[in-house]
Structures are given as C-alpha cells and as structure tokens.
Amino acid sequence: WGFSFQHPNYAGAILELMYDRPTERPNGVRLLSRKTVQTQARNPGIDSLRGLSIVLVVLFHVKIRFPILKSDAADWLPQRLLRALTESGFAGVTIFFVISGYLITKHTLRRHGALAKMDLRGFYVRRAARILPFLLLLVAVLSALHSLGVPKFTIDTTRQSLGGAVFSALFLHLNWYEATTGYLPGAWDVMWSLSIEEVFYLGFPIACVVLRKPWLLALGFLAFALSLPSLRASIDDWMWMSKAYLPGMASIAMGVFAAQVAQVFRPRKWLCYGFMLFGGLGVSAALGGVDILWPHLGHSLVLLQTASTALLLIGLDVGHQDHNIYALPGLGWLRSFGRLSYEIYLTHMFVVFGAHGLILMLFGKSEAVGWVWYIPILLLSWVPGYLISRYYTVPTDQWLRKRWLKTA
C-alpha cells in the first residue's frame, strides 16, 4: 500500500501504540542517544518550509509599510500571487506552529523512544535554554528603547504600559494583553506567538506522562487538531481569533500528531513524493485561494492549511531520512532563513522599521516603486538573525545545557 512499518508486521505497530514498548522492537527504530540526536544533519526540506514561514511573516510586515498592490508590481504580476506572498503573515505563523509541534515531538521520540518516557526536567531545560536568553535580551532592549522615547518602539497608549508589556512577554500572555488593550509596537507584537507556543510546551510533557499510551496521545492530539475550525468560529473578536491560545495550540497539535504517525508509518519513496505534492498543493491553495475557498470552507480553510503542512512534513522527513530525497537546488538561502527562524522572527521588525524610516528620509513616499524595497529588506532581516544566533543564542544554549544537564 505504499507504507513500510518500523516493525516485522502490522500487528507489531499496533502493539507498540497500545503497550508502549519501543525497546522490544527487534527490527524497529533504533533508539538514539541525546548526543546522536543533536548531531544528526538537519532536514533541508523542513528547513526550507520553516524558511518560507518566516519569509511570509517578514513580507507581511514590509507590505504594511510599502503596499505592493499600490505599486507598479501590481501591473505586471498576478495580484493573487502578490497577495499570497505579502498578506499571509498569520498563515506563516500557523505553518511554523505545525513545524514546531512536529520537530519537538520527533526529537523527543528519537531521544526517549516514547513520549511517555520523556525526561520532564530535561525537556523544560532544553526549552528554557533555547528560548529564555534571547527573550530576556529582547525585552531588555525594547524596554531601553521605550525609556529613551525612540519612535516605533515607544508604548504610548493609555491602556498599555511598559510594565504591562514586560510582564505579559515574560509570563507568556502577551497575546491576551494585546487582545484586551490593542496592538503593541511591532517589535513587541511579534512575541504574541511565542506566548502560545511556550504555554503549549509547558503542558505538553505533563499530558504525555499522564496519558502515557501512544494511541491515546495520538487520538487526543488529533482531536485537538481537528477542533481548530470550531475553536476559531467560537471567537467573535478578530484580533483574539488570530492570537488566541487554543486555535494556535491546535495547529501545534497537528504537528505533534503527524510526528507520531511518522514514527510508525513510513511511506515508500513514491508515496513520499505524493505527500509532498498534495501537501504543497494544499498549502498553496490555503495561501493563494482564500477568496475562492473561504466562502465554501470558512474556518476549515485553516485546517486545510495545517493538515497540508503536516502531510508535507511527513513526506519531507521520511523522504529525506529513508529514501535520500533532498530539497530542491537553489534554496540554500531559504534554508538559512529556516535555520535562523527564531532569531529572524524576533529581530526583523528592527530592520523593517529602520529601513522604512531611512527610505522615507532619503526618497520620500513613493508607493509606485515600493516593490523595489521588498527583497533588500528581506535579505537585511537575515543579518541580525545570523549575528544573534552565531554570537549569543547558540553559545548560551550550549552553555546552559552543559550546566543544567549531565549530557547536552
């Protein structure tokens, strides 16, 4: 049927899901050490997909300052394509949520063999080592810029304060803070998705240890993922709908479920290509066909996007790992964006604001040629992400893991 199983027979796969005994697999998946897990080569296809998600976010924020549909580009490029590339910022975050759930679950499964066997302390230490150093630095920098009264970085509404922004960012409810008080300055605003993601990962290990059975976990995460349209439809406020905890977590749950599927069911090479094809078509339709599909699908359009992303991830992951399927050539730049996605995501607004101000000062406001600045700003947004990663987040991550864990 196009699948190979990590067991001598199908019954073995079902028994593993039911009885959670991965170490009893004579011909199954090898359980890898922590060191092996960390030193394995990255998946170029998944890095490309993650790069696409961050590119969509950056282009969305550039588009707010330089409306591309009011530029000359709208005369010689299809408007549907321009909208898909520049109006899909929230869709980019949704894609990233699915990827996040997939990779975190995959690495946990490879490290421990089963979600119920994960080391709670080790999981939380790894998340803290990855997230906290840059989050603390960013909040400190933004607080200083606010205190200095720097334009675009100053919180100047009566319903908001510096203390409120700092507290909501550090205690993972900045999305709720914005939904109740309005948008924060852009460099603060991007942290809304971090609140959703990290609250999910606070509860994720506990749910895995409590529910224990792989089949029960799989059904639970699938049910959560499929509830996405209902969760969105139950919210009337648009800002809260796009930034609420549960819809975002449902997207992450889709990635978790996909990784659980990929652990047991291994598509053959031709089926991996099929997963990539149909997953890619689904994501493309969700990005570029909103006006056509929304009247028919409504909030299920977002479910189409998350499910298609999950299908694409399985194809990319298994295809690369089992069948040596590599990413398309010429996408090295996109994979680099994917590898630096966390750092670029949290720093790109500094580039967008700086470039926008400089361009207005030097050339004035000319909407007709606004399209010219998209690629330069996009490429410049890579620079602070690379520098932060090279000289701060990676070294601190490694140092904290060595200090807090017996093995990194």
Side-chain angles (χ1 to χ4, degrees):
W1 291 95
F3 290 95
S4 62
F5 300 99
Q6 299 290 15
H7 306 270
N9 50 56
Y10 180 78
I14 300 301
L15 288 173
E16 175 178 308
L17 285 176
M18 293 178 64
Y19 295 107
D20 187 12
R21 293 180 180 174
T23 58
E24 297 180 6
R25 294 170 288 173
N27 298 316
V29 182
R30 290 179 297 119
L31 299 185
L32 303 180
S33 67
R34 291 180 174 89
K35 182 176 181 180
T36 302
V37 169
Q38 289 189 332
T39 56
Q40 284 186 333
R42 300 180 67 105
N43 185 300
I46 295 180
D47 276 340
S48 298
L49 185 60
R50 186 155 51 177
L52 173 64
S53 70
I54 187 61
V55 165
L56 291 174
V57 172
V58 175
L59 293 181
F60 174 71
H61 288 136
V62 175
K63 170 253 180 185
I64 295 175
R65 281 82 195 171
F66 301 99
I68 199 165
L69 294 181
K70 295 182 180 180
S71 72
D72 295 338
D75 297 330
W76 46 275
L77 285 176
Q79 289 198 10
R80 184 175 302 280
L81 174 63
L82 295 178
R83 290 183 184 276
L85 291 175
T86 65
E87 297 181 0
S88 299
F90 286 103
V93 174
T94 299
I95 292 173
F96 185 85
F97 279 160
V98 181
I99 297 172
S100 173
Y102 188 92
L103 291 179
I104 292 293
T105 305
K106 174 189 172 182
H107 293 158
T108 301
L109 288 170
R110 292 183 68 85
R111 179 175 286 113
H112 302 293
L115 294 179
K117 295 181 180 295
M118 78 167 70
D119 171 23
L120 294 184
R121 180 179 179 276
F123 182 89
Y124 289 128
V125 164
R126 290 183 183 88
R127 292 307 299 167
R130 175 66 178 131
I131 299 300
L132 281 180
F134 192 25
L135 176 61
L136 293 173
L137 175 63
L138 179 63
V139 169
V141 170
L142 292 177
S143 299
L145 293 175
H146 166 85
S147 300
L148 293 172
V150 177
K152 305 294 185 181
F153 294 93
T154 303
I155 301 170
D156 55 6
T157 67
T158 57
R159 301 180 65 190
Q160 296 173 335
S161 66
L162 176 61
V166 170
F167 185 77
S168 65
L170 296 182
F171 288 89
L172 305 178
H173 64 279
L174 188 137
N175 55 328
W176 179 84
Y177 186 70
E178 284 197 310
T180 56
T181 65
Y183 284 107
L184 286 163
W188 288 92
D189 170 67
V190 296
M191 287 185 279
W192 70 267
S193 63
L194 196 62
S195 295
I196 295 175
E197 188 179 15
E198 296 314 313
V199 167
F200 180 90
Y201 289 125
L202 285 175
F204 173 66
I206 298 173
C208 292
V209 172
V210 171
L211 296 179
R212 296 199 63 80
K213 298 300 182 183
W215 66 269
L216 187 58
L217 285 168
L219 288 178
F221 285 118
L222 176 60
F224 192 6
L226 295 178
S227 71
L228 176 57
S230 299
L231 292 172
R232 288 176 56 89
S234 66
I235 302 172
D236 295 327
D237 181 77
W238 184 89
M239 181 187 289
W240 184 233
M241 181 193 302
S242 60
K243 297 187 176 186
Y245 284 107
L246 291 180
M249 290 180 180
S251 300
I252 302 174
M254 180 65 80
V256 174
F257 173 73
Q260 291 177 280
V261 171
Q263 184 197 27
V264 177
F265 301 101
R266 310 295 288 185
R268 299 190 187 279
K269 187 173 184 178
W270 67 267
L271 196 53
C272 285
Y273 281 119
F275 280 13
M276 288 186 280
L277 174 62
F278 286 103
L281 288 174
V283 171
S284 299
L287 295 179
V290 176
D291 57 329
I292 298 174
L293 296 176
W294 181 264
H296 304 286
L297 298 179
H299 293 290
S300 295
L301 179 60
V302 186
L303 180 59
L304 171 65
Q305 181 186 345
T306 59
S308 298
T309 302
L311 196 64
L312 186 55
L313 285 169
I314 294 174
L316 291 169
D317 185 24
V318 179
H320 177 70
Q321 184 176 342
D322 293 3
H323 309 298
N324 297 319
I325 298 176
Y326 293 94
L328 294 174
L331 296 180
W333 66 274
L334 190 60
R335 293 193 290 274
S336 182
F337 270 80
R339 290 191 294 270
L340 301 170
S341 57
Y342 176 55
E343 292 81 4
I344 294 175
Y345 180 75
L346 291 184
T347 59
H348 75 276
M349 290 307 300
F350 291 89
V351 176
V352 171
F353 284 144
H356 181 240
L358 183 62
I359 290 167
L360 290 182
M361 181 177 66
L362 295 178
F363 304 102
K365 184 176 181 180
S366 179
E367 294 181 337
V369 296
W371 63 272
V372 172
W373 309 114
Y374 276 68
I375 292 179
I377 294 175
L378 176 64
L379 296 179
L380 281 174
S381 69
W382 178 89
V383 176
Y386 170 78
L387 294 175
I388 288 290
S389 175
R390 176 72 180 274
Y391 298 106
Y392 182 65
T393 57
V394 170
T396 54
D397 184 11
Q398 294 174 344
W399 183 82
L400 289 172
R401 290 189 185 208
K402 289 179 180 179
R403 183 178 178 86
W404 292 345
L405 295 175
K406 292 182 180 180
T407 56

